[in-house]
Amino acid sequence: MNFQLKFKVTEKLYLKDPEKSELGKSIVKNAIELIFEIGFEHFTFKKLATKIGSTEATIYRYFSSKHKLLTYILNWYWSYLECISQLRVSEIKLASDKLDKILEIITHHDKSCVEIEDYDLGKLHAIVVSESSKSYLVKEVDEINKDKVFSPLENLCAFISNIISASNPKFPYPTSLASTLLETAHDQQFFSEHMSKLTDNKDNQNHKSYVLNYLKYLTFNLTK
């Protein structure tokens, strides 16, 4: 299935809305490609300008920094994940089964949408695994968050938290568990692929399956 999703990303992240022009969309799409290829540390607007056949000045008319561009990309991903989660769990009755489906979605085991017209979902997921913490693990996070730029992540976390509470109303830490599951899904995937001695995936194979099984064990033993 190939379809197009549109989400409202806070205007605090851009100077000119990239969704309103083909050039803006090209900047975001090619930024995803380039960050995936070379990593965020080596990513520059100069390299992006070369890739799209434009100038750095043009990119700066849309985004004031590469940090804001990365956060824009991540916001789109978090919004997408919440949208897909809402659609998929709406078909499920039992809260525990909903929680099980959420774990499949955040580890990319759910195949309800494998192609997105806007962006390459596989590359987006890879960027989230390796680069997402660089958006908020910064000294200026409190100042940045005054503009509520992390609302999509917070909204996704709240959605998962509500499902955890529905599954076990007596569980005292639903929000903390929700954010832990999201971060662990990324960290354990990264460790499994690159630093396997930090995991129990001794075969160093089937990374997504390993992470999903670990999250299921963690979640359902804590919330039973």
Side-chain angles (χ1 to χ4, degrees):
M1 180 183 296
N2 186 298
F3 62 93
Q4 192 170 39
L5 294 174
K6 296 293 182 183
F7 303 111
K8 179 61 178 177
V9 177
T10 176
E11 61 187 19
K12 299 294 184 179
L13 289 174
Y14 54 79
L15 301 173
K16 183 177 180 181
D17 190 348
E19 285 296 315
K20 292 186 177 181
S21 70
E22 290 305 314
L23 176 58
K25 293 176 183 178
S26 178
I27 288 172
V28 175
K29 183 174 182 179
N30 283 281
I32 291 170
E33 297 284 336
L34 195 55
I35 294 172
F36 173 79
E37 290 171 10
I38 67 175
F40 186 65
E41 289 86 354
H42 298 288
F43 172 81
T44 65
F45 281 180
K46 182 177 182 179
K47 292 177 182 177
L48 179 58
T50 299
K51 187 174 181 64
I52 65 174
S54 186
T55 64
E56 288 182 75
T58 298
I59 298 171
Y60 275 112
R61 284 199 285 270
Y62 285 87
F63 295 97
S64 62
S65 70
K66 73 174 191 176
H67 178 269
K68 287 192 174 182
L69 177 51
L70 174 65
T71 305
Y72 178 95
I73 291 168
L74 294 174
N75 273 6
W76 193 97
Y77 178 84
W78 299 129
S79 297
Y80 157 79
L81 220 58
E82 183 184 4
C83 176
I84 292 300
S85 296
Q86 289 176 346
L87 288 173
R88 298 295 282 131
V89 303
S90 66
E91 306 166 356
I92 302 172
K93 293 183 179 180
L94 292 178
S96 59
D97 291 340
K98 290 184 178 183
L99 190 51
D100 189 72
K101 176 54 67 176
I102 289 293
L103 297 179
E104 290 184 2
I105 291 171
I106 67 175
T107 55
H108 279 235
H109 275 77
D110 182 79
K111 302 300 182 183
S112 58
C113 179
V114 295
E115 296 181 63
I116 300 293
E117 187 175 318
D118 300 73
Y119 310 128
D120 187 310
L121 185 57
K123 292 179 180 178
L124 265 173
H125 181 233
I127 289 172
V128 171
V129 167
S130 61
E131 314 286 1
S132 62
S133 63
K134 295 165 189 174
S135 176
Y136 48 82
L137 291 184
V138 293
K139 188 173 181 61
E140 305 84 1
V141 63
D142 293 325
E143 186 66 28
I144 294 170
N145 205 27
K146 287 180 180 179
D147 291 327
K148 301 186 183 302
V149 300
F150 300 115
S151 290
L153 175 57
E154 294 166 348
N155 292 341
L156 174 61
C157 183
F159 178 75
I160 298 173
S161 174
N162 289 336
I163 294 176
I164 292 171
S165 293
S167 179
N168 182 356
K170 294 183 179 180
F171 183 70
Y173 307 110
T175 302
S176 293
L177 179 57
S179 58
T180 296
L181 291 173
L182 287 169
E183 287 303 296
T184 302
H186 309 141
D187 291 343
Q188 286 295 309
Q189 174 93 18
F190 185 88
F191 292 155
S192 181
E193 291 179 1
H194 305 289
M195 305 172 70
S196 60
K197 289 185 178 180
L198 296 179
T199 76
D200 293 290
N201 189 13
K202 304 306 181 186
D203 294 333
N204 198 30
Q205 297 178 353
N206 302 317
H207 307 291
K208 288 183 180 179
S209 295
Y210 164 75
V211 175
L212 176 60
N213 291 335
Y214 172 61
L215 291 187
K216 285 187 176 184
Y217 184 89
L218 181 69
T219 301
F220 293 110
N221 275 280
L222 283 173
T223 60
K224 64 182 178 181

